[in-house]
Amino acid sequence: MFADGDPRLAQLLDGIVRLAAGELHSRIEVSPARDELDAVIMGTNLLAEDLQIMYQELEQRVELRTQLLREAHLEMQKMAMQDSLTGLANRAALVTSLNEAQSEAADGGLPPAILLLDLDSFKSINDKLGHAAGDQVLAAVGERLRESVRDTDVVARLGGDEFAVLMPATTRARAAGVANRILEALERPVEIQDDTVRCGASIGLRVGEAGQSAEQLLMEADVAMYASKADGRHRLQVFEPGMLHARQLRSQLVEELRTAITESELILFYQPVVELATGRSDGVEALVRWNHPVRGLIMPDEFIPVAEDAGLISELGGWVLRTAVEQLRRWRADGVAGENFSMRINISPADLQRLEFIEDVRDTLQNAGITPSLLVLEITEGAIVAGDELDRYSLNSLRQLGVGLEIDDFGTGYSSISYLRQLPVDKVKVDRSLLTDLGSDPSQPALIAAILQLIRACGLEAVWEGVETAEQAEHLRSIGCISAQGYYFSKPLPAAEMTELLVRQGRE
Ligand code: C2E
Ligand code: CA
Ligand code: CA
């Protein structure tokens, strides 16, 4: 027992209070008495020691965790702001920087400019060389973009093969200069593995105006880029308000086309394919037109590309297929078309990408009771050459089905003998541009003869399109061409008029 009023008791209580308040380094003094009270004091000091050590460890652990968290947070921020493939900024980062640049301009600085670019031939590189090679191309493009701009400019990949460059505080002239430098840089071939590939770009430029949001600027840069793509390739287009109107018209056209397909505003015209020796039609090519309720007859060059772009082409193509085959069935049933009279239809590259297309063709022919060889599918040379494995699979399946396959617009740029020999086609339609100079250009007859020989040597049949004069027809006949097509024989005609023409020919 200790005596009343022992001062150490007060010290002990005081010490415990200090420890409890968090002063873990404070200790209570032990007296020389070394009695029971001193034992409690020593025990309390030991406890304080333990507490202090535990607390320090805890503090270290918390610090470590905080550090880890901070790093993870930075990493996440980087990931959210960065495109992982190229290490460039991503859309979110671009939008943030663009908004900053706009508000700096609002404070009296120069406006920012935004370049949007889309690679022209990326899809075919990806298809031909595989995704790994595609990724390498994207990384190389990112590198070239970075080399073409200042450090203060932001280069971003927005996804796919779409890139953007933000130039804060700049002028239109400088931005256009940079854009042209980029176009040049992207013209240089890219080396990947054992291949070299070229991929030019289409660029849209928009210089910021007061009060515009980042989203709006990006949308308008996109509109300019679209115009650049539409206009032909490898060019810079600067945004103009008129482009917005064109875009609006286009989306209106898409909507109208959608209804046109279901509301049967489409019609087929038929143009005879003529046997040169006799002048008789041995078949027709179906050419689609759009009978627009307000605008009247619209030609396919105006709406086929729109349908392809808007994903409407397979519906349109399906309609053409069914309508043309039904017309052939009727002509045969009515005795207007002979045994071997054939129907040609034009198909789009997108059709070859759908396996159902082959079934469509088979079912349509079966339902109409028509021999497959009487249907000839025309596919442009460009579409076949650029094709991937699926395209080739479709072509082979169609061939197995027994339908005729014909290369259309032959001679417009891709001609290669090896393609002619490799592709599962049996006919070639020579583009009408090859005939236009016949008569005026003295070297043209030789060229035509050479092309005819080339096609024959590959075991294929040639059809000549765009025959407009008697001289052209006679020249082709004299060098041994079998069949031709063109205004000289007949323009494309509506079904009723085509029927009359066939009936007239039947009587001769
Ligand atoms: P294409 O397949 O090369 O069709 C031939 C085009 O040349 C037709 O134009 C035809 O009217 C025109 N033409 C025929 N003879 C002559 C001639 O002697 N001189 C001249 N200068 N032109 C002639 P159209 O009907 O405007 O078709 C244009 C293109 O639209 C077609 O070119 C074809 O690529 C595409 N197309 C037409 N119908 C369809 C279709 O149903 N589906 C798909 N996917 N494309 C189609
Ligand atoms: Ca054609
Ligand atoms: Ca053609």
Side-chain angles (χ1 to χ4, degrees), residues 259-280:
T259 40
I261 297 170
T262 50
E263 303 288 313
S264 51
E265 284 170 21
L266 299 179
I267 38 171
L268 288 184
F269 274 44
Y270 300 92
Q271 187 180 33
V273 177
V274 171
E275 196 185 6
L276 280 164
T278 60
R280 296 174 66 88

Short mmCIF file of all heavy atoms in Angstrom, two decimals, residues 259-280:
data_model
loop_
_atom_site.label_atom_id
_atom_site.label_comp_id
_atom_site.label_asym_id
_atom_site.label_seq_id
_atom_site.Cartn_x
_atom_site.Cartn_y
_atom_site.Cartn_z
N THR A 259 -36.76 4.58 -96.78
CA THR A 259 -38.17 4.35 -97.10
C THR A 259 -38.34 3.95 -98.57
O THR A 259 -39.20 3.16 -98.89
CB THR A 259 -39.05 5.59 -96.81
OG1 THR A 259 -38.33 6.75 -97.21
CG2 THR A 259 -39.42 5.70 -95.36
N ALA A 260 -37.47 4.51 -99.42
CA ALA A 260 -37.59 4.19 -100.85
C ALA A 260 -37.50 2.69 -101.09
O ALA A 260 -38.20 2.14 -101.95
CB ALA A 260 -36.50 4.91 -101.64
N ILE A 261 -36.64 2.02 -100.32
CA ILE A 261 -36.45 0.59 -100.53
C ILE A 261 -37.71 -0.18 -100.12
O ILE A 261 -38.16 -1.08 -100.82
CB ILE A 261 -35.21 0.08 -99.75
CG1 ILE A 261 -33.95 0.77 -100.28
CG2 ILE A 261 -35.07 -1.44 -99.87
CD1 ILE A 261 -32.72 0.54 -99.44
N THR A 262 -38.31 0.21 -98.99
CA THR A 262 -39.48 -0.52 -98.53
C THR A 262 -40.76 -0.06 -99.23
O THR A 262 -41.70 -0.84 -99.40
CB THR A 262 -39.66 -0.36 -97.00
OG1 THR A 262 -39.58 1.04 -96.69
CG2 THR A 262 -38.58 -1.10 -96.23
N GLU A 263 -40.80 1.19 -99.67
CA GLU A 263 -42.02 1.72 -100.30
C GLU A 263 -42.00 1.55 -101.82
O GLU A 263 -42.73 2.25 -102.52
CB GLU A 263 -42.20 3.20 -99.96
CG GLU A 263 -42.26 3.52 -98.48
CD GLU A 263 -43.56 3.06 -97.84
OE1 GLU A 263 -44.62 3.35 -98.42
OE2 GLU A 263 -43.50 2.40 -96.79
N SER A 264 -41.13 0.71 -102.31
CA SER A 264 -40.96 0.45 -103.75
C SER A 264 -40.92 1.70 -104.62
O SER A 264 -41.67 1.84 -105.58
CB SER A 264 -42.00 -0.55 -104.26
OG SER A 264 -43.30 -0.16 -103.90
N GLU A 265 -39.99 2.60 -104.25
CA GLU A 265 -39.72 3.74 -105.13
C GLU A 265 -38.57 3.43 -106.08
O GLU A 265 -38.22 4.24 -106.92
CB GLU A 265 -39.35 4.98 -104.30
CG GLU A 265 -40.54 5.64 -103.63
CD GLU A 265 -40.13 6.71 -102.63
OE1 GLU A 265 -39.00 7.22 -102.71
OE2 GLU A 265 -40.95 7.03 -101.76
N LEU A 266 -37.97 2.25 -105.90
CA LEU A 266 -36.87 1.88 -106.79
C LEU A 266 -37.45 1.21 -108.03
O LEU A 266 -38.47 0.53 -107.95
CB LEU A 266 -35.92 0.91 -106.09
CG LEU A 266 -35.22 1.41 -104.82
CD1 LEU A 266 -34.34 0.33 -104.23
CD2 LEU A 266 -34.39 2.66 -105.11
N ILE A 267 -36.78 1.43 -109.17
CA ILE A 267 -37.17 0.68 -110.36
C ILE A 267 -35.94 0.20 -111.09
O ILE A 267 -34.86 0.79 -110.96
CB ILE A 267 -38.01 1.51 -111.37
CG1 ILE A 267 -37.49 2.94 -111.43
CG2 ILE A 267 -39.48 1.46 -111.04
CD1 ILE A 267 -38.15 3.72 -112.55
N LEU A 268 -36.09 -0.87 -111.84
CA LEU A 268 -34.98 -1.36 -112.64
C LEU A 268 -35.18 -0.98 -114.09
O LEU A 268 -36.28 -1.09 -114.63
CB LEU A 268 -34.86 -2.88 -112.52
CG LEU A 268 -34.35 -3.42 -111.19
CD1 LEU A 268 -34.19 -4.94 -111.25
CD2 LEU A 268 -33.04 -2.77 -110.78
N PHE A 269 -34.09 -0.48 -114.70
CA PHE A 269 -34.03 -0.31 -116.14
C PHE A 269 -33.18 -1.46 -116.67
O PHE A 269 -32.40 -2.04 -115.92
CB PHE A 269 -33.38 1.04 -116.50
CG PHE A 269 -34.35 2.19 -116.52
CD1 PHE A 269 -35.31 2.35 -115.52
CD2 PHE A 269 -34.30 3.14 -117.54
CE1 PHE A 269 -36.21 3.41 -115.53
CE2 PHE A 269 -35.19 4.22 -117.57
CZ PHE A 269 -36.14 4.35 -116.56
N TYR A 270 -33.38 -1.79 -117.94
CA TYR A 270 -32.62 -2.91 -118.51
C TYR A 270 -31.91 -2.45 -119.77
O TYR A 270 -32.52 -1.79 -120.61
CB TYR A 270 -33.55 -4.09 -118.80
CG TYR A 270 -34.26 -4.59 -117.56
CD1 TYR A 270 -35.51 -4.08 -117.20
CD2 TYR A 270 -33.66 -5.53 -116.73
CE1 TYR A 270 -36.14 -4.51 -116.04
CE2 TYR A 270 -34.28 -5.96 -115.56
CZ TYR A 270 -35.53 -5.44 -115.23
OH TYR A 270 -36.14 -5.86 -114.08
N GLN A 271 -30.63 -2.77 -119.87
CA GLN A 271 -29.88 -2.43 -121.08
C GLN A 271 -29.39 -3.71 -121.75
O GLN A 271 -28.77 -4.55 -121.10
CB GLN A 271 -28.67 -1.54 -120.74
CG GLN A 271 -27.98 -1.03 -121.99
CD GLN A 271 -26.78 -0.14 -121.70
OE1 GLN A 271 -26.08 -0.35 -120.71
NE2 GLN A 271 -26.55 0.85 -122.55
N PRO A 272 -29.71 -3.87 -123.05
CA PRO A 272 -29.34 -5.12 -123.71
C PRO A 272 -27.83 -5.31 -123.83
O PRO A 272 -27.08 -4.35 -123.99
CB PRO A 272 -29.94 -4.98 -125.11
CG PRO A 272 -30.62 -3.67 -125.18
CD PRO A 272 -30.43 -2.93 -123.92
N VAL A 273 -27.43 -6.55 -123.74
CA VAL A 273 -26.06 -6.94 -124.08
C VAL A 273 -26.20 -7.65 -125.42
O VAL A 273 -26.96 -8.61 -125.54
CB VAL A 273 -25.46 -7.89 -123.02
CG1 VAL A 273 -24.07 -8.35 -123.43
CG2 VAL A 273 -25.42 -7.19 -121.67
N VAL A 274 -25.48 -7.12 -126.43
CA VAL A 274 -25.78 -7.49 -127.81
C VAL A 274 -24.70 -8.39 -128.39
O VAL A 274 -23.51 -8.18 -128.18
CB VAL A 274 -25.93 -6.20 -128.65
CG1 VAL A 274 -26.03 -6.51 -130.14
CG2 VAL A 274 -27.14 -5.42 -128.18
N GLU A 275 -25.14 -9.36 -129.17
CA GLU A 275 -24.21 -10.20 -129.91
C GLU A 275 -23.80 -9.41 -131.15
O GLU A 275 -24.65 -9.11 -132.00
CB GLU A 275 -24.91 -11.50 -130.29
CG GLU A 275 -23.98 -12.58 -130.71
CD GLU A 275 -24.76 -13.81 -131.19
OE1 GLU A 275 -26.00 -13.73 -131.29
OE2 GLU A 275 -24.12 -14.82 -131.46
N LEU A 276 -22.51 -9.07 -131.25
CA LEU A 276 -22.06 -8.16 -132.32
C LEU A 276 -22.34 -8.70 -133.72
O LEU A 276 -22.69 -7.95 -134.63
CB LEU A 276 -20.57 -7.86 -132.16
CG LEU A 276 -20.24 -6.80 -131.11
CD1 LEU A 276 -18.76 -6.85 -130.76
CD2 LEU A 276 -20.62 -5.40 -131.59
N ALA A 277 -22.21 -9.99 -133.91
CA ALA A 277 -22.38 -10.57 -135.24
C ALA A 277 -23.81 -10.43 -135.75
O ALA A 277 -24.03 -10.19 -136.94
CB ALA A 277 -21.96 -12.04 -135.23
N THR A 278 -24.80 -10.54 -134.85
CA THR A 278 -26.20 -10.55 -135.29
C THR A 278 -26.99 -9.32 -134.85
O THR A 278 -28.08 -9.06 -135.37
CB THR A 278 -26.92 -11.77 -134.69
OG1 THR A 278 -26.86 -11.66 -133.26
CG2 THR A 278 -26.25 -13.07 -135.12
N GLY A 279 -26.47 -8.60 -133.86
CA GLY A 279 -27.20 -7.45 -133.35
C GLY A 279 -28.34 -7.83 -132.42
O GLY A 279 -29.14 -6.99 -132.02
N ARG A 280 -28.42 -9.11 -132.07
CA ARG A 280 -29.51 -9.54 -131.19
C ARG A 280 -29.09 -9.49 -129.72
O ARG A 280 -27.92 -9.66 -129.40
CB ARG A 280 -29.93 -10.96 -131.54
CG ARG A 280 -30.52 -11.07 -132.96
CD ARG A 280 -30.78 -12.50 -133.29
NE ARG A 280 -31.83 -13.05 -132.44
CZ ARG A 280 -33.12 -12.98 -132.75
NH1 ARG A 280 -33.50 -12.41 -133.86
NH2 ARG A 280 -34.02 -13.49 -131.95
#
